[in-house]
Amino acid sequence: MKRKLLKQATALALAGALLTGTAYGAAQYDPVDPADPYQPPVSGMFHGQQIDADGVTGQYSVYIADNFEPCSDGILVLTPDGTTAEEFLSSATGQGWIDLADEKGIAVIVAEPLDGQSWNLADETDGRDDEAFLKNVYNTIRNKSQAVTAAFDMNERAFYLVGYEEGATAAQEFAMEWPALFAGLAAVGGNDVPAAVAEQTGDALSYPFAEAESLEGQEELQIPNREIPVPTWLIDAEDTGLSADYWVEAADVETVEAGAYAQQAYANDAVRVWVTDSENADEITPKVLYDEFLSQVQRFVGTPGGRLEWTVEHTNDGETGFFVTEQMVDGKLRRWMTYVPSSYQEGTAVPLVVAIHGYSSAMTAFTGDSRWQDVAEENGFIVVFAQGYPTDDVMGNIPVPFWNNELQGMEVGDPTDDVAYFRTLVSETEKNYSIDRSRVYATGHSNGSCEVWLLAMEMSDVFAAYAPIGSNMGAYKDTLEITTDPIPVWNMKAEYDTDGAAKLEPGSTDALTIDYWTSYNGTSKNPEITTDSSGIFVTRNYYDANGIPLVRFSEVKNSPHAYTPEISQIVWDDFFSQITLNADSSRTYDGQLIERTVDFADIEGHWAKDAINYVVDAGLFTGATATTFEPETAMTRGMFVTVLGRLADAEGDGEQSAAQFSDVDANAYYAPYVAWAAENGIVSGTEPDRFDPDTPVTREQMAALLYRYAQFQGNDTTADDAVIEQFADYASVSNYAVDAMNWAVEDGLMNGTDNSMLAPLGNATRAEVATILMRFVENAA
């Protein structure tokens, strides 16, 4: 390659063509199109992007292909000295990068030296800190905020660095300082990095989890930058000795047979170092750089420094491999990707794992993060990688994939019904493949972890077990009744994770989650702590009365906010593979039936113990927790109507009740029962549009509701109209409740608090309601 090529005058005709679609101001973001939601919110050329932060300034340009999809590749290109980003993109080489971006659906970012003049390659103190400038460029281009002019959803696993001439040396210096950011480096032309710069930068401690937006672990792990490998291709360099030695040592590679483009080659699996001389440099076009070297490897978070692996090829042979499905769900185009193992045979039912990526990620990225397809291939099951729907204005960002979980407390303008999506996904998979319905499982990361928690609450009839990894927002909201069917969950957080990491400090989301789910599943609160043979997973196992670990919480050692192949393997081997969901909604663990053991510690010796056991066994009541009943706690109006609805085997429309009463959430456990009771004249609101579901029910309200329920059932409710006058406080009974109280006393349901007082305005306790309902059921029999 002629070095003068990039410094020649800008080709005017080509520059004129590139001005179409060029923007110097803020971009306008289009709303998400339900029929084509995966197109980029903005595309085209954006020159003159400015960095002015941390004491450094500079400019760069961005080109986003109009076929760029969520979580796609990004390439940062550094220009030679004396060349602005706009001039570079107007050259033949720059046009090659634009053509490549259009072909592959990727984004190209071009950064220039200060004022388009010279890179500070010797790190002179009176010059610009180029590495700080470039790090700010990186921070900006991965920032999805609507405040960023040319924002796009970049795949951090597939971020590559390329430099030309002096920019090639600058690129190497940047990679030496931040090696964990890059899945590949190409240096075209230029010189060796100055020895003093390489030594000082290489000896500095690395931020081992930089690609996970975590700068923790530097002091704890003590990993020098020079020990973080970066796949590197050195092309047409005047001196390659020092730089080649540096990257070879960092990668711990061995000499291998050179290929078609490199005269020297070193490799250790996916980590490669290539050296190409000047005679062959002209063959190395942007397309060759990308196709033959850069795009073949990605860097995945998880291990210190990142895990370099070959890029997953999402292909199939017509029967097995990866298959993408697109389908309209609730008026929106949704998609998912199914991996079918080579052992699959139609007619032989196999398990199904649904794997859910995190915020702003993609199904194609999660295959590399989790490698669930490898576990599926080894164990002969199908895995479906779900795809989140791009949602606008989440945290002020451009539209990127987001799982809409109201339990996280994030309101969006056009919420997506993701529970309906997952029901469709599972249903369609069962239509197309032979799926063992007793062995369907859900797992996900980050925002996808929150979605898994929602599925545990909303789709326990579909999934046998759940493995939410990396986030617990909303996992502990009081939305589940304690039913007879425990739900096995295995939750993990990493040592260097977000949201307080895996510390289980009182009041943390992790502690609240574990408390909620151990209560729900009826397990011990005191875990058995185990460490797996690798030392990666330190697990708290919470067992039920039968010794089954229904709740697990693991700290993943030496890891940031990440989902790794090791997680997939242990979740399958030690969890999913042992649990089945039976046709009657019960579950088995390693062949043992999972049963809820009702043994309330707070009713021993209580006057209402027999009545409490009676109503619990009848399915009318559940415990306040798995181990407590709270007999003296006041019964709320919502609870009482729920108990009546269970007694009647009632079904109602929660949305209808929410429409009638402004304070009844359609998603609340009592909503369908309130609807049923209102439809049948059993309840009315405390005001025309309010029900006050969380207000304690008084003793006279309880009598009135039970009286109307008895009439609804066709029972005889006639009674002497003076029965209650035997009680000293009978005059305090409200007019609406007089007939009901006379009936309840005459029928033996209510006896008074101490045989002399009715206490009609006092709150009814759970123990009192249990006793009265037991008497009512026995009288009706």
Side-chain angles (χ1 to χ4, degrees):
M1 178 179 292
K2 303 295 185 182
R3 298 188 67 205
K4 63 181 181 180
L5 173 67
L6 296 175
K7 293 185 179 179
Q8 64 188 13
T10 302
L12 296 179
L14 192 56
L18 288 177
L19 287 176
T20 303
T22 299
Y24 290 85
Q28 298 296 314
Y29 299 102
D30 295 327
V32 177
D33 180 359
D36 187 16
Y38 306 104
Q39 60 183 323
V42 65
S43 61
M45 182 70 75
F46 298 85
H47 287 308
Q49 304 306 299
Q50 184 73 29
I51 289 292
D52 188 3
D54 301 326
V56 296
T57 62
Q59 289 193 337
Y60 65 98
S61 296
V62 178
Y63 181 76
I64 307 168
D66 60 11
N67 56 343
F68 184 98
E69 292 201 344
C71 200
S72 291
D73 298 8
I75 301 175
L76 174 61
V77 180
L78 309 189
T79 73
D81 282 355
T83 308
T84 67
E86 187 169 357
E87 290 169 345
F88 177 86
L89 285 165
S90 298
S91 71
T93 302
Q95 182 62 47
W97 283 109
I98 294 171
D99 291 343
L100 177 74
D102 289 337
E103 177 188 347
K104 305 295 183 179
I106 62 178
V108 174
I109 307 92
V110 178
E112 62 189 54
L114 181 62
D115 298 325
Q117 298 302 307
S118 300
W119 294 100
N120 182 18
L121 301 180
D123 283 351
E124 300 289 347
T125 56
D126 59 349
R128 184 181 69 177
D129 184 341
D130 287 338
E131 289 73 43
F133 161 67
L134 293 170
K135 182 60 166 57
N136 282 333
V137 172
Y138 173 81
N139 293 343
T140 303
I141 62 176
R142 73 178 297 180
N143 188 331
K144 305 163 187 70
S145 170
Q146 291 184 5
V148 175
T149 301
F152 59 95
D153 183 13
M154 186 178 74
N155 181 5
E156 292 87 354
R157 305 156 191 80
F159 180 62
Y160 308 101
L161 179 62
V162 178
Y164 288 90
E165 300 175 26
E166 293 83 4
T169 307
Q172 292 189 70
E173 293 185 2
F174 186 30
M176 287 178 179
E177 185 161 323
W178 293 95
L181 295 181
F182 306 104
L185 162 69
V188 183
N191 299 310
D192 274 341
V193 173
V197 174
E199 181 177 1
Q200 181 177 0
T201 306
D203 289 342
L205 294 181
S206 174
Y207 288 103
F209 306 119
E211 80 276 35
E213 295 189 86
S214 172
L215 301 185
E216 294 183 281
Q218 183 186 45
E219 292 299 324
E220 295 90 335
L221 296 174
Q222 296 279 312
I223 303 174
N225 283 324
R226 67 172 66 254
E227 293 183 8
I228 305 292
V230 178
T232 303
W233 193 355
L234 303 175
I235 303 161
D236 190 20
E238 291 189 357
D239 299 297
T240 61
L242 187 150
S243 293
D245 290 345
Y246 182 97
W247 297 116
V248 166
E249 291 174 7
D252 191 23
V253 290
E254 297 179 353
T255 302
V256 296
E257 183 178 352
Y261 297 100
Q263 283 67 61
Q264 300 175 52
Y266 310 84
N268 180 1
D269 198 22
V271 184
R272 297 170 295 168
V273 177
W274 287 3
V275 179
T276 298
D277 60 27
S278 59
E279 294 182 5
N280 296 276
D282 287 341
E283 302 175 24
I284 315 304
T285 64
K287 181 173 174 58
V288 169
L289 280 175
Y290 182 80
D291 286 348
E292 302 296 329
F293 191 80
L294 297 176
S295 67
Q296 292 190 9
V297 176
Q298 296 186 359
R299 187 186 294 271
F300 300 94
V301 301
T303 56
R307 168 174 52 92
L308 289 164
E309 285 192 5
W310 300 109
T311 300
V312 177
E313 297 291 335
H314 299 107
T315 59
N316 65 74
D317 61 9
E319 296 183 356
T320 62
F322 291 97
F323 298 86
V324 175
T325 299
E326 289 193 336
Q327 183 169 323
M328 297 298 291
V329 179
D330 290 340
K332 297 176 178 179
L333 184 65
R334 305 303 302 267
R335 63 169 54 154
W336 58 85
M337 183 164 59
T338 304
Y339 180 77
V340 182
S342 59
S343 61
Y344 174 76
Q345 293 184 342
E346 185 177 355
T348 301
V350 299
L352 168 65
V353 171
V354 176
I356 308 172
H357 65 72
Y359 176 66
S360 79
S361 187
M363 59 189 187
T364 48
F366 203 49
T367 60
D369 292 339
S370 67
R371 307 295 301 198
W372 264 109
Q373 68 275 12
D374 295 345
V375 184
E377 180 66 27
E378 179 183 353
N379 294 278
F381 62 83
I382 285 176
V383 57
V384 174
F385 295 90
Q387 175 61 59
Y389 187 83
T391 304
D392 196 10
D393 204 25
V394 177
M395 300 180 290
N397 289 341
I398 60 172
V400 296
F402 171 71
W403 299 108
N404 179 45
N405 182 346
E406 66 273 15
L407 298 179
Q408 291 183 255
M410 296 183 186
E411 296 186 2
V412 296
D414 184 20
T416 300
D417 188 347
D418 280 321
V419 173
Y421 162 76
F422 280 103
R423 287 198 178 275
T424 300
L425 180 155
V426 173
S427 176
E428 289 299 311
T429 304
E430 289 176 344
K431 290 179 184 177
N432 296 326
Y433 301 97
S434 300
I435 300 298
D436 182 347
R437 294 190 176 188
S438 71
R439 296 187 292 168
V440 180
Y441 312 95
T443 184
H445 182 241
S446 193
N447 173 227
S449 175
C450 298
E451 187 65 18
V452 171
W453 285 120
L454 181 65
L455 296 181
M457 298 174 183
E458 298 287 340
M459 291 181 63
S460 62
D461 60 316
V462 173
F463 297 104
Y466 302 83
I469 311 298
S471 185
N472 295 320
M473 292 175 62
Y476 48 87
K477 300 297 175 63
D478 190 15
T479 56
L480 274 175
E481 296 178 80
I482 297 177
T483 68
T484 58
D485 301 313
I487 300 174
V489 295
W490 191 348
N491 177 220
M492 298 187 190
K493 292 287 288 293
E495 183 176 3
Y496 300 103
D497 215 320
T498 57
D499 189 29
K503 304 306 181 188
L504 284 179
E505 295 176 352
S508 67
T509 59
D510 298 342
L512 292 170
T513 297
I514 296 306
D515 182 66
Y516 180 83
W517 285 92
T518 52
S519 295
Y520 176 83
N521 280 332
T523 68
S524 168
K525 297 287 185 177
N526 298 314
E528 175 188 89
I529 301 177
T530 60
T531 302
D532 78 309
S533 59
S534 71
I536 296 175
F537 301 97
V538 178
T539 302
R540 291 172 168 85
N541 302 280
Y542 299 85
Y543 295 93
D544 69 1
N546 297 313
I548 299 174
L550 292 178
V551 178
R552 288 172 169 172
F553 178 86
S554 292
E555 179 181 18
V556 186
K557 290 294 187 180
N558 283 336
S559 180
H561 188 59
Y563 198 118
T564 67
E566 292 82 5
I567 291 174
S568 303
Q569 191 70 59
I570 197 170
V571 164
W572 176 258
D573 289 345
D574 294 354
F575 191 52
F576 284 171
S577 65
Q578 301 184 48
I579 300 170
T580 58
L581 174 63
N582 305 318
D584 63 357
S585 296
S586 66
R587 289 173 171 82
T588 59
Y589 180 90
D590 196 21
Q592 182 180 359
L593 183 66
I594 299 174
E595 298 180 282
R596 184 182 298 283
T597 302
V598 179
D599 185 15
F600 300 124
D602 57 353
I603 67 171
E604 192 62 36
H606 195 279
W607 62 269
K609 177 179 179 180
D610 291 342
I612 291 170
N613 285 330
Y614 178 90
V615 295
V616 169
D617 289 343
L620 304 180
F621 272 71
T622 61
T625 72
T627 58
T628 62
F629 185 81
E630 297 183 5
E632 299 308 316
T633 297
M635 191 81 166
T636 66
R637 288 167 54 82
M639 287 179 186
F640 188 76
V641 171
T642 297
V643 169
L644 290 182
R646 291 174 181 155
L647 183 60
D649 289 328
E651 295 182 1
D653 186 343
E655 292 186 2
Q656 180 176 337
S657 71
Q660 180 174 352
F661 300 116
S662 61
D663 58 350
V664 175
D665 189 329
N667 295 313
Y669 73 87
Y670 48 73
Y673 300 114
V674 172
W676 160 80
E679 290 164 7
N680 292 286
I682 297 170
V683 301
S684 57
T686 55
E687 297 178 21
D689 67 338
R690 290 186 61 82
F691 183 73
D692 288 337
D694 297 322
T695 300
V697 65
T698 65
R699 286 168 54 83
E700 68 176 15
Q701 288 174 346
M702 172 181 62
L705 292 172
L706 194 56
Y707 178 72
R708 294 173 196 155
Y709 174 75
Q711 292 177 330
F712 167 72
Q713 293 288 347
N715 296 356
D716 182 6
T717 58
T718 57
D720 189 317
D721 59 6
V723 171
I724 62 173
E725 292 181 9
Q726 62 183 291
F727 298 98
D729 59 348
Y730 80 92
S732 62
V733 176
S734 302
N735 288 336
Y736 79 87
V738 169
D739 289 343
M741 291 291 273
N742 278 319
W743 164 77
V745 171
E746 184 171 292
D747 228 32
L749 305 180
M750 298 180 67
N751 297 324
T753 57
D754 58 4
N755 292 324
S756 64
M757 302 292 287
L758 272 175
L761 301 180
N763 295 336
T765 67
R766 285 166 58 83
E768 289 172 339
V769 174
T771 301
I772 290 170
L773 279 177
M774 181 180 72
R775 292 170 182 166
F776 176 82
V777 173
E778 290 177 339
N779 288 353

